[in-house]
Amino acid sequence: MTSSSSPSQAAQSAFAQNDPENLRADALMEEDVAWSFEIDGERDGDQFDRSDRAALRRVAGLSTELEDVTEVEYRQLRLERVVLVGVWTTGTARDAENSLAELAALAETAGALVLDGVIQRRDKPDAATYIGSGKANELRDIVLESGADTVICDGELSPGQLIHLEDVVKVKVIDRTALILDIFAQHAKSREGKAQVALAQMQYMLPRLRGWGQSLSRQMGGGKGGGLATRGPGETKIETDRRRIREKMAKMRREIAEMKTGREIKRQERRRNKVPSVAIAGYTNAGKSSLLNRLTGAGVLVENALFATLDPTVRRAETPSGRLYTLADTVGFVRHLPHHLVEAFRSTMEEVGDSDLILHVVDGSHPAPEEQLAAVREVIRDVGATKVPEIVVINKADAADPLTLQRLLRIEKRSIAVSARSGQGIEELLALIDNELPRPSVEIEALVPYTHGKLVARAHTEGEVISEEHTPEGTLLKARVHEELAADLAPYVPAATA
């Protein structure tokens, strides 16, 4: 009988002398990455690449341990000490490390202290423990060595994966979805934002409820007479908890629907007044709030942190030609944004779908801005806003690599490079917004009596005035206006023009 064994001592010695960075990186992945004589015995040479790919890769530079004494005293209250773990299934090693670096930034935003981070290359995540039983034991050793109290996985884990991985590492395990939900819960300020986050948290929690001891005991069944007249076991406490959560979710959905009505009334008022709307969408920490402040002076909180602002802000703005429009700042997006949040924030994200123009803000100084663009466009597709015209605004141009800016400007045909901090490119952006906003469809020339000055005022606010001349008979107005205002101005169109 042939049994599986580990590589020979000579092979192990040769592997130790080789630098893993020099191993062939483009070797094909196979589902069974463990060495065995049956699979590897007849291969050409020692299979070092496969052994290296199956190992946990430690990612350097993720630790946020504070060294300065003053910083340590300032952050004496440490909420969590965490180790990050990711599974690398597709793409390059750099892509996997960028994803884990983003997870480290999310953990810091939530108030955690990142001690270490590891990546394992697999064909697909393990169905039981996410990284496999052997690597889970190695992860447990890393947790014990670093003194961590939490493990954060770079992906959405099933309830079974969470339980099994916790059983091995002996500390709390959370996934990327739970981490983002926690950040949203900390940063939501408005009543609608808090309700949306609470709904998303309950949707996430419902299938992950666990029971211990009394939680699995059954209540007494209820017979017709009550008291001792029982028919059998009633529902367990965990079933009761699930039912209560479903009731709370139904109540929360009703409350969000009522808040959505108020938002829709405001939107209808803007539509009635023919005020164009522009929505700012983009990756978290790309500079959306900074751009809103630069364009309108809104005074929205600006912070170099992920999801610093969640609640949408709508401000009135004016184009260089004097046309009024509204500018709405929306919630930031991130790779693998939890679908619970997309559903819960759908009423807020409708600002994007109902807008006349989207300013898609991307961080030009980010190592992988194309990935940010793809992640945001995926969410825009989810909310049904694919037909809205889009301008790609490459922000932080003063800190970006010139070659990266040139590449993005070449790839994205409708794009512009700006710096919300320094004001670079803002004038050009305002002119571009003016050109891209929908223009009134009817061009009209009318002699409006001075007694009907309201029509002239409406032409200024709702339309685009080309020329205006004051005559003894009234105001000679030439403008582009919407059909409704054109009908009101029709009686004052000179006969020769008509």
Side-chain angles (χ1 to χ4, degrees):
M1 185 177 74
T2 305
S3 61
S4 175
S5 63
S6 60
S8 65
Q9 294 294 328
Q12 291 181 359
S13 175
F15 178 77
Q17 293 173 2
N18 278 274
D19 183 3
E21 296 296 328
N22 296 327
L23 299 179
R24 187 166 61 90
D26 57 347
L28 297 176
M29 280 288 296
E30 291 191 20
E31 189 165 350
D32 184 5
V33 294
W35 193 97
S36 70
F37 182 83
E38 293 178 357
I39 298 175
D40 298 320
E42 298 181 0
R43 294 185 186 272
D44 293 333
D46 297 315
Q47 302 297 303
F48 300 134
D49 293 348
R50 301 176 67 246
S51 302
D52 177 53
R53 257 198 311 278
L56 287 175
R57 290 171 173 262
R58 181 160 287 172
V59 180
L62 291 182
S63 175
T64 57
E65 182 73 59
L66 301 174
E67 296 179 357
D68 184 60
V69 175
T70 57
E71 287 187 85
V72 172
E73 291 186 357
Y74 179 72
R75 287 182 58 182
Q76 282 182 349
L77 179 60
R78 291 177 176 173
L79 301 181
E80 309 276 354
R81 297 169 60 85
V82 304
V83 170
L84 312 179
V85 58
V87 171
W88 167 21
T89 56
T90 58
T92 64
R94 185 175 181 81
D95 294 336
E97 292 181 4
N98 285 340
S99 181
L100 206 66
E102 183 177 271
L103 187 68
L106 288 168
E108 272 199 280
T109 303
L113 181 68
V114 179
L115 301 178
D116 210 341
V118 293
I119 297 174
Q120 187 204 6
R121 182 157 191 176
R122 295 179 61 92
D123 204 26
K124 59 183 179 180
D126 183 68
T129 59
Y130 183 64
I131 56 175
S133 57
K135 297 303 178 288
N137 289 325
E138 292 181 35
L139 179 62
R140 179 188 59 197
D141 296 337
I142 294 173
V143 168
L144 290 173
E145 178 187 345
S146 61
D149 53 31
T150 305
V151 170
I152 304 179
C153 298
D154 191 16
E156 183 167 346
L157 273 62
S158 68
Q161 287 173 321
L162 282 171
I163 294 172
H164 292 145
L165 191 55
E166 277 189 358
D167 289 341
V168 177
V169 299
K170 306 301 181 185
V171 295
K172 181 173 67 174
V173 176
I174 64 173
D175 58 12
R176 185 187 182 95
T177 301
L179 179 61
I180 295 176
L181 288 172
D182 181 69
I183 295 171
F184 271 58
Q186 292 181 41
H187 292 178
K189 295 293 184 288
S190 68
R191 179 168 169 258
E192 183 175 11
K194 290 178 180 178
Q196 290 168 328
V197 173
L199 176 60
Q201 284 180 318
M202 285 187 285
Q203 285 177 314
Y204 174 80
M205 191 194 332
L206 186 61
R208 291 169 174 82
L209 286 180
R210 307 182 197 176
W212 294 277
Q214 292 295 322
S215 297
L216 297 178
S217 63
R218 292 189 177 276
Q219 298 177 358
M220 186 178 294
K224 289 184 178 179
L228 296 178
T230 61
R231 299 181 183 175
E235 61 185 356
T236 62
K237 187 176 185 302
I238 195 169
E239 291 168 346
T240 305
D241 292 340
R242 287 183 181 135
R243 176 166 48 81
R244 288 175 177 170
I245 287 178
R246 290 191 187 98
E247 291 172 354
K248 287 183 179 179
M249 287 170 59
K251 180 182 178 183
M252 203 68 70
R253 288 193 181 97
R254 288 194 297 269
E255 291 180 1
I256 292 174
E258 292 172 1
M259 298 179 209
K260 179 183 175 182
T261 303
R263 188 180 294 276
E264 183 62 29
I265 290 173
K266 294 178 182 177
R267 268 195 221 116
Q268 288 176 356
E269 185 68 16
R270 293 198 291 268
R271 291 194 205 104
R272 189 177 65 82
N273 292 325
K274 305 295 189 294
V275 179
S277 62
V278 178
I280 301 177
Y283 213 78
T284 179
N285 207 31
K288 298 183 300 301
S289 298
S290 299
L291 186 64
L292 178 69
N293 290 344
R294 173 65 69 172
L295 293 175
T296 66
V300 176
L301 169 70
V302 172
E303 189 176 352
N304 186 21
L306 306 185
F307 300 115
T309 51
L310 295 181
D311 302 315
T313 305
V314 181
R315 290 291 183 270
R316 177 175 169 173
E318 189 173 322
T319 66
S321 63
R323 300 170 62 197
L324 294 177
Y325 66 97
T326 60
L327 198 60
D329 182 19
T330 60
V331 63
F333 304 144
V334 73
R335 272 180 297 189
H336 313 302
L337 189 68
H339 64 276
H340 308 297
L341 278 176
V342 175
E343 289 300 319
F345 277 77
R346 186 169 291 276
S347 61
T348 303
M349 292 177 181
E350 284 174 358
E351 293 285 353
V352 178
D354 289 343
S355 63
D356 298 300
L357 180 66
I358 296 175
L359 296 185
H360 184 165
V361 184
V362 61
D363 182 358
S365 64
H366 192 270
E370 290 89 353
E371 293 182 9
Q372 290 192 352
L373 288 167
V376 174
R377 282 170 176 158
E378 183 180 348
V379 180
I380 289 176
R381 281 196 300 270
D382 290 343
V383 298
T386 53
K387 296 182 179 179
V388 182
E390 175 192 70
I391 297 176
V392 176
V393 182
I394 308 168
N395 194 23
K396 306 182 185 179
D398 52 344
D401 179 16
L403 294 177
T404 302
L405 286 180
Q406 292 175 14
R407 186 178 74 247
L408 289 173
L409 290 171
R410 185 177 65 253
I411 295 173
E412 299 293 338
K413 302 304 180 185
R414 293 158 55 91
S415 60
I416 184 171
V418 305
S419 172
R421 184 177 65 176
S422 66
Q424 171 189 343
I426 296 298
E427 295 298 327
E428 292 82 355
L429 176 60
L430 287 171
L432 191 56
I433 292 173
D434 199 355
N435 291 333
E436 293 293 334
L437 282 178
R439 295 183 175 275
S441 56
V442 181
E443 185 172 327
I444 193 170
E445 185 175 346
L447 183 62
V448 183
Y450 291 120
T451 55
H452 292 74
K454 286 185 177 181
L455 292 176
V456 178
R458 284 181 59 191
H460 278 279
T461 56
E462 300 177 17
E464 186 177 352
V465 176
I466 301 172
S467 65
E468 185 178 4
E469 181 184 351
H470 299 289
T471 67
E473 293 81 16
T475 303
L476 183 60
L477 187 71
K478 186 176 182 180
R480 290 190 186 91
V481 295
H482 296 286
E483 295 179 358
E484 183 181 343
L485 180 55
D488 294 337
L489 288 170
Y492 308 109
V493 175
T497 307

